[in-house]
Amino acid sequence: MAEGELKDMEQFFDDLSDSFTGTEPEVHKTSVVGLFLRHMILAYNKLSFSQVYKLYTALQQYFQNDEKKTGIDETDMELTNTDELEGKMEKEELDIPLREEEISCGGPLSQKQAEYFLSQQASLLKNDETKALTPAALQKELNNLLKFNPDFAEAHYLSYLNSLRVQDVFSSTHSLLHYFDRLILTGAESKSNGDEGYGRSLRYAALNLAALHCRFGHYQQAELALQEAIRIAQESNDHVCLQHCLSWLYILEQQSSDSCVLLEHSVKKAVHFGLPYLASLGIQSLVQQRAFAGKTANKLMDALKDSDLLHWKHSLSELIDISIAQKTAIWRLYGRSTMALQQAQTLLSMNSLESVNVGVQQNNTESFAVVLCHLAELHAEQGYFAAASEILKHLKERFPPNSQHSQLWMLFDQKIQFDRAMNDGRYHIADSLVAGITALNSIEGVYRKAIVLKAQNQMSEAHKLLQKLLTHCQKIKNTEMVISGFFFSLLPPTTLALISVLLSTAELYWRSSCHTIALPVLLQALALSREYSLQYLASETVLNLAFSQLILGIPEQALNILHMAIEPILAHGAVLDKGCAMFLVAKCQVASATSYTPQKKAEALESAILNLNEAKVYFVKVDCREQLRDVLYFQARLFHTLGRMQERNKCAMLFRQLHQELPAHGVPLINAFK
């Protein structure tokens, strides 16, 4: 056939049909060979003319390649040792996994080989993306598959998933539409769903298209596609598809006031139709929405407990991971670092319920990346920078830069480096990191730029940026879209960002000696913190108010409110915040001691020195040299007042060394809380 013409192959298949005819056929229809031949004839008859030609071309190529190999090593065929032959066969049978160089042969793969390749790569993309082919290599192999079989629907779907990895809007849309087109043309849906197959493909195609547009932020196009999916699903009376549409409708309608009612209705309907996956996601979205609304943590945890019951009942491994990541995010939102750390460790020590191949990492999902990012930030906040670097290194290995979750650790890496540079007084390095942060999160980048300008005493420029952020946060407050199930765990909600901006604005007013203007700003931040149950931020705001009272000459009142707010800071706060709080306590103690008797004043100063020593330990731990310099200056003054010259000289020497490295830029040392 290969040496002849195309008609020879056609004649071969015609002759095969005659093998079953006659009183004594050459092959029985029900025999193994007969079933195989009938299957082959049916497959050949379904081929179009172009596919028949491609089959003949592939046959010629196969024959020519085999001819070239013939006679290369004829001695290998003369093996007389049976054990040696069996050993060779076993070795060949063990080399089952398809390596890149094995797949890239340029020739067609069999149906089973192609299905195995697609299922293998899809599983790797879900469980361990680092072991899957790179986006470019995978697309090359998919193009090779589609070249020989353009109607291979599963290959188009894997191409869609591959395009999502690199955020390619055009290619992902193109592949998704082709997948559903081929699904309808090949009749794959109709075989299992009867007459409903065609309509089912159409409505789920519209639903997937809506999800794709929503993922890329094209909300108007997503709404149009979702309306089309709802219309087709209603015509077909498909309640399951309608329930999925309702879930996506909530995501698109989060700005409206009735979005909470819509979500509650979605959860009830999902439970009614036996869709535990959707019901659980709905509960977690409700928890997230109520966290934004300022509900207390105990109520949120009770709601998550209900979803956990669904997860364990139905063995929903992925949702168990998401639930734990959600809890980690909630505790972080409320400033409970110890509880967040506990939840993060729980997820990391869990084994996945899903069966995966040997050597494939488990829990290699977005929730796993989120928890690891939180863990890195928690370690950095406590001064364990080496441990944070190890965690980030692990994240880089598990989620390389071209993976779909890499932006999570990239942002945290930039923020940790920025904080370290600011603590160390290297403002030029911090300024260079702002561009990278802005590329990943524009709001965070503007905020960090304002912090750098404020530290460099460029007050007017910093004030402009902070006012711009204030306007932006107040404009979009409570109307932000949340696509991911635990999106707020990485990018703080608008209220949280608004409070942080208000605190930075108040500090800017202090540095500009506008102390009275800072008070209304701080009171606004305190009201927001208490309204949304953000205890840690409320405590930090109270510390700022205490500093304002100290500057305005009422240190006794400042000391009173400090004792109420310092406990959450010391229990759950970052090391830098702990140091600043203890430094502020010492300042208030010294200012209050001016009206005391000499003996009582000496006791107050001794107590202040002890608090300064504790603050110094905290500042050394995070390498915050600017604050350490201020503490040494303050301690030297106190030792001088108490007549302890040796300790005074030691502190003065250390202060001088730091002061030469870090000039004061003309700012009074005591005129800053942090």
Side-chain angles (χ1 to χ4, degrees), residues 71-242:
I72 293 177
D73 279 325
E74 292 184 357
T75 55
D76 290 344
M77 301 300 293
E78 298 174 2
L79 295 172
T80 55
N81 191 335
T82 308
D83 294 335
E84 185 179 352
L85 179 60
E86 289 179 354
K88 183 177 180 182
M89 290 177 66
E90 289 174 359
K91 181 180 182 303
E92 291 174 352
E93 289 170 358
L94 288 173
D95 295 335
I96 294 174
L98 296 173
R99 297 191 299 273
E100 185 176 345
E101 59 270 17
E102 291 175 334
I103 303 167
S104 305
C105 58
L109 296 176
S110 69
Q111 183 74 14
K112 292 295 182 184
Q113 284 176 316
E115 288 175 357
Y116 171 71
F117 169 73
L118 294 177
S119 63
Q120 181 195 49
Q121 291 299 315
S123 175
L124 289 174
L125 285 181
K126 179 183 178 183
N127 295 303
D128 195 358
E129 193 177 339
T130 56
K131 285 188 170 57
L133 293 177
T134 62
L138 180 56
Q139 194 60 46
K140 180 181 177 183
E141 302 310 328
L142 291 172
N143 291 339
N144 187 38
L145 281 174
L146 292 170
K147 182 174 70 174
F148 292 100
N149 189 359
D151 296 331
F152 200 174
E154 289 79 4
H156 285 289
Y157 193 78
L158 188 59
S159 176
Y160 156 69
L161 296 178
N162 191 46
S163 299
L164 283 181
R165 293 166 72 189
V166 292
Q167 304 295 309
D168 187 343
V169 183
F170 176 78
S171 298
S172 56
T173 307
H174 183 267
S175 298
L176 182 65
L177 294 176
H178 271 286
Y179 165 69
F180 283 102
D181 286 346
R182 297 307 186 277
L183 210 61
I184 294 169
L185 289 173
T186 55
E189 284 289 301
S190 299
K191 290 177 183 176
S192 58
N193 297 283
D195 295 335
E196 273 296 302
Y198 179 78
R200 186 176 187 276
S201 293
L202 285 180
R203 56 183 175 266
Y204 277 99
L207 180 60
N208 277 272
L209 191 61
L212 177 65
H213 284 306
C214 196
R215 181 186 181 114
F216 287 108
H218 308 151
Y219 301 119
Q220 189 174 0
Q221 294 93 321
E223 191 172 352
L224 292 173
L226 192 61
Q227 288 173 359
E228 180 70 11
I230 292 172
R231 184 185 62 79
I232 302 174
Q234 285 175 336
E235 290 175 357
S236 306
N237 202 25
D238 188 345
H239 295 290
V240 175
C241 183
L242 282 171

Side-chain angles (χ1 to χ4, degrees), residues 462-519:
H463 185 262
K464 288 177 184 177
L465 289 180
L466 289 173
Q467 289 301 313
K468 179 181 176 183
L469 278 175
L470 276 176
T471 305
H472 176 74
C473 291
Q474 289 168 347
K475 182 180 179 182
I476 66 170
K477 184 172 174 283
N478 295 331
T479 62
E480 59 190 346
M481 276 207 168
V482 183
I483 302 304
S484 173
F486 32 85
F487 191 72
F488 68 88
S489 61
L490 293 174
L491 304 179
T494 310
T495 306
L496 198 61
L498 180 58
I499 296 169
S500 300
V501 173
L502 287 171
L503 293 178
S504 294
T505 306
E507 186 179 346
L508 194 70
Y509 289 141
W510 295 333
R511 288 177 176 268
S512 305
S513 300
C514 303
H515 310 303
T516 53
I517 303 177
L519 280 175

Side-chain angles (χ1 to χ4, degrees), residues 6 13 42 103 131 143 153 166 168 229 234 279 299 344 360 369 391 408 457 462 478 531 541 578 588 591 596:
L6 181 60
F13 281 100
L42 285 172
I103 303 167
K131 285 188 170 57
N143 291 339
V166 292
D168 187 343
Q234 285 175 336
K299 293 182 179 178
V360 175
I391 295 170
L408 304 180
N457 286 331
N478 295 331
E531 180 185 351
T541 307
K578 293 177 184 178
C588 292
Y596 294 171

Side-chain angles (χ1 to χ4, degrees), residues 362-425:
Q362 296 181 348
N363 293 328
N364 202 9
T365 55
E366 185 180 7
S367 55
F368 195 79
V370 167
V371 166
L372 278 175
C373 287
H374 280 306
L375 204 60
E377 190 174 46
L378 285 167
H379 280 80
E381 285 179 354
Q382 299 305 317
Y384 303 120
F385 294 114
S389 298
E390 285 296 320
I391 295 170
L392 286 169
K393 181 181 177 183
H394 178 72
L395 274 164
K396 292 173 186 177
E397 292 172 355
R398 180 159 291 189
F399 304 96
N402 61 353
S403 64
Q404 53 186 330
H405 305 314
S406 59
Q407 290 187 1
L408 304 180
W409 62 258
M410 286 179 181
L411 179 60
F412 272 77
D413 189 19
Q414 295 283 323
K415 287 166 65 176
I416 290 171
Q417 289 184 50
F418 178 90
D419 291 336
R420 291 194 70 179
M422 290 297 295
N423 291 346
D424 203 20

Side-chain angles (χ1 to χ4, degrees), residues 183-305:
L183 210 61
I184 294 169
L185 289 173
T186 55
E189 284 289 301
S190 299
K191 290 177 183 176
S192 58
N193 297 283
D195 295 335
E196 273 296 302
Y198 179 78
R200 186 176 187 276
S201 293
L202 285 180
R203 56 183 175 266
Y204 277 99
L207 180 60
N208 277 272
L209 191 61
L212 177 65
H213 284 306
C214 196
R215 181 186 181 114
F216 287 108
H218 308 151
Y219 301 119
Q220 189 174 0
Q221 294 93 321
E223 191 172 352
L224 292 173
L226 192 61
Q227 288 173 359
E228 180 70 11
I230 292 172
R231 184 185 62 79
I232 302 174
Q234 285 175 336
E235 290 175 357
S236 306
N237 202 25
D238 188 345
H239 295 290
V240 175
C241 183
L242 282 171
Q243 187 54 43
H244 282 85
C245 292
L246 185 60
S247 301
W248 280 103
L249 189 64
Y250 157 72
I251 294 176
L252 293 173
E253 298 292 335
Q254 285 183 76
Q255 298 100 324
S256 62
S257 57
D258 60 343
S259 61
C260 188
V261 177
L262 190 68
L263 188 55
E264 290 175 356
H265 180 67
S266 171
V267 173
K268 291 176 184 176
K269 283 288 187 181
V271 173
H272 175 72
F273 290 113
L275 301 171
Y277 196 95
L278 275 181
S280 173
L281 284 178
I283 292 171
Q284 296 195 50
S285 296
L286 269 174
V287 168
Q288 184 188 81
Q289 192 179 65
R290 286 168 181 169
F292 285 138
K295 299 293 182 182
T296 55
N298 61 324
K299 293 182 179 178
L300 301 181
M301 291 302 163
D302 286 341
L304 283 175
K305 183 181 66 176

